[in-house]
Amino acid sequence: MLQAKVITNVRKMSDKASIVDIHGEVNAAAENSLMSAFNQASASHARAVVLNFRGLEYMNSSGIGLLVTLLIRANRQGQKVMATGLSDHYRQIFELTRLNEAIHIYDTEAQALAAANAM
Amino acid sequence: MTTSSSQPNEGKPRDATYWAQPVSRLKVSGVPSEAINLNVDGRRVMSPLQGFGQMWQKNYRIRLAGTKSIPAEVIKTWKENFQKFWPPGNRFYAPLTSISPGEVAVLNLSGPGGIKLSTGIMVIYADDESFTFMTPEGHMFSGWITFSAHTEDSHTVAQAQVLIRANDPLYEIAFRMGGSRQEDQFWVQTLTSLAAHFGAEGEVEMQATCVDPKLQWSQAKNIWHNAAIRTVLNTPVRLARSLFRRNAINTR
């Protein structure tokens, strides 16, 4: 079985937004770690969860699938999912898979948080 | 709060060669003349987020007990013989350069009552142990299907995992009225054939989860591209062309 090679860290930035830092590999094995970080970020009823991909080293198609299921959960809870820290390569993958049409991408954390706080 | 404008991940990521480049519209080439090549060229790819119906994640897996083939060998064989493992009556017109990122394939699928449906797929991801197809507008489903192999308890396990929504209201009705079961049978047969190729016998295990029970009415317009309707409507045109060609050959 695949071993998870991902580390997540949750930072509560305001009443409205939390950031999930993602380091390492996002594939099928990252499910538990990613979902648990998302639950933690949602626990304070944050209206926006910002996924920070600055530390992302590898992502396969199962990883993209995980992001879709995470997005559906957020939508069900009335939350927005945002992304920041994406390299050009991972931006292209978001474009290819049309994830960029559902997850708003920001260049910096500051921009993402400003958008979240303006909600 | 951390803010930075520098580019993250400046080195080339390990997965860079596994992913296709983004495309705005699909372009298909090298399709054999016997194929019904409709509903692929010029279509956009569809993720599960752009579909209409309930979102389903389904896993089909089979343990290749007794085979010594490692996951990479299984995936290599699967890629090279993809059509061979499909149930009879369905055709996968493989790209000329095999299943690799960015390639587009035409599918001719059998529908109820002998109806043929022409659609396609794009290979969006392929590495040594997995590959993923994404569907275009008009396909029955919007989403991805990933084929993979891994080792579990010292056995190789082959797996197909779909993350899909029915693309439009008509497909959603069909999906609920037996289409879902038909889809299950399709992949069960495929995995059984794959296992047989490796001399393995076993049961295909299936797991289905409804990820999103909601219908996306904003995507009902997808019916405009419905490949089943368009293939049927195109049938007289194809028959006329074929007759014309036959007459032209006979008069030479």
Side-chain angles (χ1 to χ4, degrees):
Chain A
M1 285 295 274
L2 276 174
Q3 282 210 320
K5 291 178 185 169
V6 67
I7 296 168
T8 53
N9 174 48
V10 179
R11 289 179 282 147
K12 185 181 174 187
M13 304 307 285
S14 68
D15 286 342
K16 289 185 174 177
S18 289
I19 293 178
V20 178
D21 298 312
I22 299 165
H23 295 270
E25 302 187 358
V26 176
N27 54 22
E31 182 172 4
N32 288 345
S33 179
L34 210 58
M35 291 305 169
S36 139
F38 176 75
N39 288 341
Q40 203 185 324
S42 306
S44 53
H45 305 290
R47 290 171 66 183
V49 176
V50 181
L51 303 176
N52 175 15
F53 290 101
R54 187 161 296 277
L56 182 61
E57 291 167 2
Y58 171 90
M59 182 160 62
N60 64 11
S61 52
S62 301
I64 284 287
L66 268 186
L67 296 182
V68 169
T69 50
L70 189 147
L71 180 68
I72 297 296
R73 281 174 69 171
N75 286 347
R76 229 182 277 160
Q77 292 168 201
Q79 293 172 305
K80 285 267 179 221
V81 176
M82 299 169 175
T84 187
L86 284 166
S87 66
D88 288 345
H89 169 64
Y90 291 113
R91 270 180 193 253
Q92 281 188 348
I93 292 172
F94 270 51
E95 197 186 326
L96 167 72
T97 56
R98 298 184 66 182
L99 217 55
N100 62 338
E101 294 174 24
I103 297 180
H104 209 106
I105 300 170
Y106 295 91
D107 288 338
T108 65
E109 276 186 20
Q111 287 170 356
L113 289 173
N117 289 324
M119 278 168 56
Chain B
M1 187 165 67
T2 317
T3 315
S4 167
S5 59
S6 69
Q7 268 295 317
N9 302 322
E10 276 162 356
K12 205 176 176 187
R14 189 158 52 87
D15 56 46
T17 56
Y18 303 147
W19 285 97
Q21 291 296 308
V23 288
S24 52
R25 304 272 166 184
L26 295 182
K27 181 118 194 73
V28 65
S29 60
V31 181
S33 56
E34 76 267 18
I36 308 169
N37 181 7
L38 292 172
N39 310 310
V40 187
D41 225 19
R43 295 285 187 268
R44 299 179 73 193
V45 286
M46 301 285 277
S47 86
L49 299 166
Q50 281 87 34
F52 170 81
Q54 295 179 325
M55 192 188 291
W56 285 89
Q57 182 168 304
K58 293 187 178 187
N59 284 5
Y60 310 88
R61 37 180 274 146
I62 191 163
R63 189 179 284 243
L64 305 180
T67 178
K68 286 186 175 132
S69 298
I70 59 170
E73 288 166 352
V74 171
I75 291 301
K76 186 172 181 285
T77 303
W78 207 346
K79 281 179 184 169
E80 287 170 355
N81 303 278
F82 195 79
Q83 157 67 34
K84 189 181 155 187
F85 303 129
W86 266 21
N90 300 283
R91 287 300 309 258
F92 177 90
Y93 293 100
L96 291 173
T97 52
S98 86
I99 292 173
S100 51
E103 294 292 349
V104 176
V106 169
L107 318 181
N108 286 177
L109 306 171
S110 292
I115 295 169
K116 278 280 173 198
L117 187 155
S118 173
T119 182
I121 56 91
M122 177 185 176
V123 184
I124 60 161
Y125 181 93
D127 65 23
D128 290 344
E129 296 187 352
S130 70
F131 54 102
T132 301
F133 296 160
M134 191 166 176
T135 58
E137 291 168 319
H139 193 283
M140 299 81 75
F141 305 118
S142 60
W144 305 304
I145 177 156
T146 297
F147 307 91
S148 61
H150 62 272
T151 307
E152 207 174 286
D153 303 329
S154 67
H155 289 292
T156 297
V157 174
Q159 177 174 279
Q161 183 182 66
V162 299
L163 185 62
I164 50 162
R165 285 183 195 272
N167 230 330
D168 65 42
L170 204 60
Y171 283 140
E172 177 68 4
I173 292 168
F175 188 72
R176 293 187 189 201
M177 293 181 71
S180 175
R181 206 173 49 243
Q182 212 178 326
E183 171 81 357
D184 295 342
Q185 283 165 359
F186 190 100
W187 295 117
V188 166
Q189 276 184 263
T190 300
L191 284 172
T192 307
S193 300
L194 176 75
H197 179 89
F198 287 97
E201 281 179 24
E203 288 272 303
V204 175
E205 295 165 34
M206 206 200 93
Q207 193 181 28
T209 311
C210 184
V211 178
D212 185 7
K214 279 189 187 162
L215 302 179
Q216 300 202 122
W217 284 99
S218 62
Q219 305 294 339
K221 61 183 184 300
N222 291 347
I223 201 164
W224 174 252
H225 291 291
N226 187 298
I229 296 173
R230 284 176 176 259
T231 310
V232 169
L233 291 179
N234 187 264
T235 305
V237 177
R238 274 186 293 114
L239 287 175
R241 271 192 199 146
S242 146
L243 273 173
F244 181 77
R245 241 181 259 137
R246 208 174 299 161
N247 285 342
I249 291 166
N250 289 341
T251 52
R252 264 183 214 160

PDB file of all heavy atoms in Angstrom, chain A residues 23-46:
ATOM      1  N   HIS A  23       2.539  20.082   2.672  1.00  0.00           N
ATOM      2  CA  HIS A  23       3.935  19.798   2.326  1.00  0.00           C
ATOM      3  C   HIS A  23       4.049  18.352   1.882  1.00  0.00           C
ATOM      4  O   HIS A  23       3.545  17.451   2.549  1.00  0.00           O
ATOM      5  CB  HIS A  23       4.854  20.006   3.538  1.00  0.00           C
ATOM      6  CG  HIS A  23       4.919  21.417   3.992  1.00  0.00           C
ATOM      7  ND1 HIS A  23       5.845  22.320   3.506  1.00  0.00           N
ATOM      8  CD2 HIS A  23       4.150  22.091   4.874  1.00  0.00           C
ATOM      9  CE1 HIS A  23       5.639  23.500   4.089  1.00  0.00           C
ATOM     10  NE2 HIS A  23       4.625  23.383   4.926  1.00  0.00           N
ATOM     11  N   GLY A  24       4.734  18.123   0.777  1.00  0.00           N
ATOM     12  CA  GLY A  24       4.997  16.744   0.363  1.00  0.00           C
ATOM     13  C   GLY A  24       4.151  16.300  -0.810  1.00  0.00           C
ATOM     14  O   GLY A  24       3.971  17.060  -1.771  1.00  0.00           O
ATOM     15  N   GLU A  25       3.609  15.089  -0.715  1.00  0.00           N
ATOM     16  CA  GLU A  25       2.966  14.454  -1.859  1.00  0.00           C
ATOM     17  C   GLU A  25       1.451  14.323  -1.659  1.00  0.00           C
ATOM     18  O   GLU A  25       1.005  13.808  -0.640  1.00  0.00           O
ATOM     19  CB  GLU A  25       3.570  13.063  -2.077  1.00  0.00           C
ATOM     20  CG  GLU A  25       5.072  13.124  -2.294  1.00  0.00           C
ATOM     21  CD  GLU A  25       5.672  11.780  -2.669  1.00  0.00           C
ATOM     22  OE1 GLU A  25       4.929  10.780  -2.726  1.00  0.00           O
ATOM     23  OE2 GLU A  25       6.891  11.760  -2.909  1.00  0.00           O
ATOM     24  N   VAL A  26       0.709  14.779  -2.637  1.00  0.00           N
ATOM     25  CA  VAL A  26      -0.750  14.627  -2.583  1.00  0.00           C
ATOM     26  C   VAL A  26      -1.153  13.524  -3.562  1.00  0.00           C
ATOM     27  O   VAL A  26      -1.151  13.709  -4.773  1.00  0.00           O
ATOM     28  CB  VAL A  26      -1.474  15.952  -2.905  1.00  0.00           C
ATOM     29  CG1 VAL A  26      -2.983  15.750  -2.939  1.00  0.00           C
ATOM     30  CG2 VAL A  26      -1.125  17.006  -1.866  1.00  0.00           C
ATOM     31  N   ASN A  27      -1.435  12.372  -2.988  1.00  0.00           N
ATOM     32  CA  ASN A  27      -1.917  11.217  -3.761  1.00  0.00           C
ATOM     33  C   ASN A  27      -2.958  10.507  -2.895  1.00  0.00           C
ATOM     34  O   ASN A  27      -3.371  11.048  -1.867  1.00  0.00           O
ATOM     35  CB  ASN A  27      -0.750  10.288  -4.157  1.00  0.00           C
ATOM     36  CG  ASN A  27       0.070   9.877  -2.949  1.00  0.00           C
ATOM     37  OD1 ASN A  27      -0.408   9.922  -1.814  1.00  0.00           O
ATOM     38  ND2 ASN A  27       1.305   9.490  -3.178  1.00  0.00           N
ATOM     39  N   ALA A  28      -3.367   9.311  -3.314  1.00  0.00           N
ATOM     40  CA  ALA A  28      -4.435   8.618  -2.578  1.00  0.00           C
ATOM     41  C   ALA A  28      -4.088   8.443  -1.098  1.00  0.00           C
ATOM     42  O   ALA A  28      -4.967   8.503  -0.230  1.00  0.00           O
ATOM     43  CB  ALA A  28      -4.702   7.269  -3.220  1.00  0.00           C
ATOM     44  N   ALA A  29      -2.808   8.268  -0.810  1.00  0.00           N
ATOM     45  CA  ALA A  29      -2.382   8.033   0.572  1.00  0.00           C
ATOM     46  C   ALA A  29      -2.521   9.280   1.452  1.00  0.00           C
ATOM     47  O   ALA A  29      -2.451   9.192   2.675  1.00  0.00           O
ATOM     48  CB  ALA A  29      -0.937   7.548   0.582  1.00  0.00           C
ATOM     49  N   ALA A  30      -2.728  10.419   0.828  1.00  0.00           N
ATOM     50  CA  ALA A  30      -2.811  11.676   1.599  1.00  0.00           C
ATOM     51  C   ALA A  30      -4.218  11.932   2.126  1.00  0.00           C
ATOM     52  O   ALA A  30      -4.445  12.920   2.833  1.00  0.00           O
ATOM     53  CB  ALA A  30      -2.361  12.843   0.718  1.00  0.00           C
ATOM     54  N   GLU A  31      -5.168  11.040   1.808  1.00  0.00           N
ATOM     55  CA  GLU A  31      -6.577  11.298   2.123  1.00  0.00           C
ATOM     56  C   GLU A  31      -6.809  11.611   3.606  1.00  0.00           C
ATOM     57  O   GLU A  31      -7.388  12.642   3.943  1.00  0.00           O
ATOM     58  CB  GLU A  31      -7.447  10.104   1.694  1.00  0.00           C
ATOM     59  CG  GLU A  31      -8.919  10.367   1.970  1.00  0.00           C
ATOM     60  CD  GLU A  31      -9.834   9.303   1.388  1.00  0.00           C
ATOM     61  OE1 GLU A  31      -9.325   8.307   0.835  1.00  0.00           O
ATOM     62  OE2 GLU A  31     -11.052   9.483   1.501  1.00  0.00           O
ATOM     63  N   ASN A  32      -6.346  10.732   4.481  1.00  0.00           N
ATOM     64  CA  ASN A  32      -6.620  10.922   5.911  1.00  0.00           C
ATOM     65  C   ASN A  32      -6.039  12.230   6.429  1.00  0.00           C
ATOM     66  O   ASN A  32      -6.696  12.981   7.141  1.00  0.00           O
ATOM     67  CB  ASN A  32      -6.060   9.750   6.720  1.00  0.00           C
ATOM     68  CG  ASN A  32      -6.876   8.498   6.501  1.00  0.00           C
ATOM     69  OD1 ASN A  32      -7.992   8.570   5.978  1.00  0.00           O
ATOM     70  ND2 ASN A  32      -6.313   7.351   6.851  1.00  0.00           N
ATOM     71  N   SER A  33      -4.810  12.489   6.040  1.00  0.00           N
ATOM     72  CA  SER A  33      -4.125  13.686   6.510  1.00  0.00           C
ATOM     73  C   SER A  33      -4.829  14.956   6.020  1.00  0.00           C
ATOM     74  O   SER A  33      -5.068  15.898   6.785  1.00  0.00           O
ATOM     75  CB  SER A  33      -2.676  13.640   6.018  1.00  0.00           C
ATOM     76  OG  SER A  33      -2.001  14.763   6.430  1.00  0.00           O
ATOM     77  N   LEU A  34      -5.184  14.938   4.734  1.00  0.00           N
ATOM     78  CA  LEU A  34      -5.806  16.121   4.136  1.00  0.00           C
ATOM     79  C   LEU A  34      -7.212  16.359   4.706  1.00  0.00           C
ATOM     80  O   LEU A  34      -7.571  17.493   5.029  1.00  0.00           O
ATOM     81  CB  LEU A  34      -5.874  15.916   2.616  1.00  0.00           C
ATOM     82  CG  LEU A  34      -5.797  17.156   1.747  1.00  0.00           C
ATOM     83  CD1 LEU A  34      -4.522  17.940   1.996  1.00  0.00           C
ATOM     84  CD2 LEU A  34      -5.880  16.780   0.270  1.00  0.00           C
ATOM     85  N   MET A  35      -7.977  15.286   4.842  1.00  0.00           N
ATOM     86  CA  MET A  35      -9.349  15.437   5.346  1.00  0.00           C
ATOM     87  C   MET A  35      -9.349  15.845   6.814  1.00  0.00           C
ATOM     88  O   MET A  35     -10.176  16.650   7.234  1.00  0.00           O
ATOM     89  CB  MET A  35     -10.144  14.132   5.152  1.00  0.00           C
ATOM     90  CG  MET A  35     -10.441  13.821   3.697  1.00  0.00           C
ATOM     91  SD  MET A  35     -11.296  15.188   2.832  1.00  0.00           S
ATOM     92  CE  MET A  35     -11.190  14.654   1.137  1.00  0.00           C
ATOM     93  N   SER A  36      -8.395  15.299   7.562  1.00  0.00           N
ATOM     94  CA  SER A  36      -8.339  15.668   8.972  1.00  0.00           C
ATOM     95  C   SER A  36      -7.922  17.138   9.126  1.00  0.00           C
ATOM     96  O   SER A  36      -8.463  17.863   9.973  1.00  0.00           O
ATOM     97  CB  SER A  36      -7.397  14.688   9.679  1.00  0.00           C
ATOM     98  OG  SER A  36      -6.592  15.312  10.584  1.00  0.00           O
ATOM     99  N   ALA A  37      -7.001  17.602   8.277  1.00  0.00           N
ATOM    100  CA  ALA A  37      -6.611  19.020   8.316  1.00  0.00           C
ATOM    101  C   ALA A  37      -7.784  19.900   7.926  1.00  0.00           C
ATOM    102  O   ALA A  37      -8.026  20.959   8.522  1.00  0.00           O
ATOM    103  CB  ALA A  37      -5.431  19.254   7.374  1.00  0.00           C
ATOM    104  N   PHE A  38      -8.535  19.434   6.931  1.00  0.00           N
ATOM    105  CA  PHE A  38      -9.699  20.215   6.488  1.00  0.00           C
ATOM    106  C   PHE A  38     -10.741  20.292   7.608  1.00  0.00           C
ATOM    107  O   PHE A  38     -11.307  21.360   7.862  1.00  0.00           O
ATOM    108  CB  PHE A  38     -10.304  19.592   5.223  1.00  0.00           C
ATOM    109  CG  PHE A  38     -11.549  20.284   4.763  1.00  0.00           C
ATOM    110  CD1 PHE A  38     -11.468  21.517   4.125  1.00  0.00           C
ATOM    111  CD2 PHE A  38     -12.794  19.740   4.994  1.00  0.00           C
ATOM    112  CE1 PHE A  38     -12.623  22.178   3.727  1.00  0.00           C
ATOM    113  CE2 PHE A  38     -13.945  20.398   4.601  1.00  0.00           C
ATOM    114  CZ  PHE A  38     -13.863  21.612   3.958  1.00  0.00           C
ATOM    115  N   ASN A  39     -10.981  19.173   8.292  1.00  0.00           N
ATOM    116  CA  ASN A  39     -11.943  19.175   9.403  1.00  0.00           C
ATOM    117  C   ASN A  39     -11.501  20.135  10.497  1.00  0.00           C
ATOM    118  O   ASN A  39     -12.305  20.854  11.078  1.00  0.00           O
ATOM    119  CB  ASN A  39     -12.084  17.763   9.987  1.00  0.00           C
ATOM    120  CG  ASN A  39     -12.831  16.856   9.043  1.00  0.00           C
ATOM    121  OD1 ASN A  39     -13.531  17.335   8.139  1.00  0.00           O
ATOM    122  ND2 ASN A  39     -12.681  15.553   9.203  1.00  0.00           N
ATOM    123  N   GLN A  40     -10.199  20.114  10.769  1.00  0.00           N
ATOM    124  CA  GLN A  40      -9.647  21.010  11.802  1.00  0.00           C
ATOM    125  C   GLN A  40      -9.836  22.477  11.386  1.00  0.00           C
ATOM    126  O   GLN A  40     -10.204  23.315  12.189  1.00  0.00           O
ATOM    127  CB  GLN A  40      -8.154  20.699  11.965  1.00  0.00           C
ATOM    128  CG  GLN A  40      -7.586  21.123  13.303  1.00  0.00           C
ATOM    129  CD  GLN A  40      -6.082  20.892  13.347  1.00  0.00           C
ATOM    130  OE1 GLN A  40      -5.582  19.905  12.779  1.00  0.00           O
ATOM    131  NE2 GLN A  40      -5.360  21.790  13.978  1.00  0.00           N
ATOM    132  N   ALA A  41      -9.585  22.739  10.110  1.00  0.00           N
ATOM    133  CA  ALA A  41      -9.719  24.113   9.608  1.00  0.00           C
ATOM    134  C   ALA A  41     -11.182  24.555   9.626  1.00  0.00           C
ATOM    135  O   ALA A  41     -11.485  25.736   9.783  1.00  0.00           O
ATOM    136  CB  ALA A  41      -9.173  24.195   8.183  1.00  0.00           C
ATOM    137  N   SER A  42     -12.092  23.586   9.484  1.00  0.00           N
ATOM    138  CA  SER A  42     -13.530  23.910   9.440  1.00  0.00           C
ATOM    139  C   SER A  42     -14.146  23.976  10.833  1.00  0.00           C
ATOM    140  O   SER A  42     -15.258  24.488  10.984  1.00  0.00           O
ATOM    141  CB  SER A  42     -14.282  22.845   8.633  1.00  0.00           C
ATOM    142  OG  SER A  42     -13.711  22.699   7.373  1.00  0.00           O
ATOM    143  N   ALA A  43     -13.437  23.440  11.818  1.00  0.00           N
ATOM    144  CA  ALA A  43     -14.009  23.312  13.161  1.00  0.00           C
ATOM    145  C   ALA A  43     -14.445  24.648  13.741  1.00  0.00           C
ATOM    146  O   ALA A  43     -15.428  24.736  14.465  1.00  0.00           O
ATOM    147  CB  ALA A  43     -13.007  22.637  14.079  1.00  0.00           C
ATOM    148  N   SER A  44     -13.722  25.701  13.404  1.00  0.00           N
ATOM    149  CA  SER A  44     -14.062  27.014  13.971  1.00  0.00           C
ATOM    150  C   SER A  44     -15.071  27.753  13.086  1.00  0.00           C
ATOM    151  O   SER A  44     -15.194  28.970  13.156  1.00  0.00           O
ATOM    152  CB  SER A  44     -12.788  27.840  14.111  1.00  0.00           C
ATOM    153  OG  SER A  44     -12.124  27.876  12.862  1.00  0.00           O
ATOM    154  N   HIS A  45     -15.787  26.992  12.246  1.00  0.00           N
ATOM    155  CA  HIS A  45     -16.803  27.536  11.338  1.00  0.00           C
ATOM    156  C   HIS A  45     -16.226  28.584  10.384  1.00  0.00           C
ATOM    157  O   HIS A  45     -16.900  29.563  10.049  1.00  0.00           O
ATOM    158  CB  HIS A  45     -17.998  28.122  12.123  1.00  0.00           C
ATOM    159  CG  HIS A  45     -18.591  27.126  13.068  1.00  0.00           C
ATOM    160  ND1 HIS A  45     -19.295  26.029  12.619  1.00  0.00           N
ATOM    161  CD2 HIS A  45     -18.540  27.030  14.423  1.00  0.00           C
ATOM    162  CE1 HIS A  45     -19.680  25.309  13.674  1.00  0.00           C
ATOM    163  NE2 HIS A  45     -19.219  25.896  14.777  1.00  0.00           N
ATOM    164  N   ALA A  46     -14.969  28.376   9.986  1.00  0.00           N
ATOM    165  CA  ALA A  46     -14.358  29.297   9.020  1.00  0.00           C
ATOM    166  C   ALA A  46     -15.175  29.278   7.734  1.00  0.00           C
ATOM    167  O   ALA A  46     -15.618  28.218   7.300  1.00  0.00           O
ATOM    168  CB  ALA A  46     -12.930  28.855   8.725  1.00  0.00           C
TER     169      ALA A  46
END
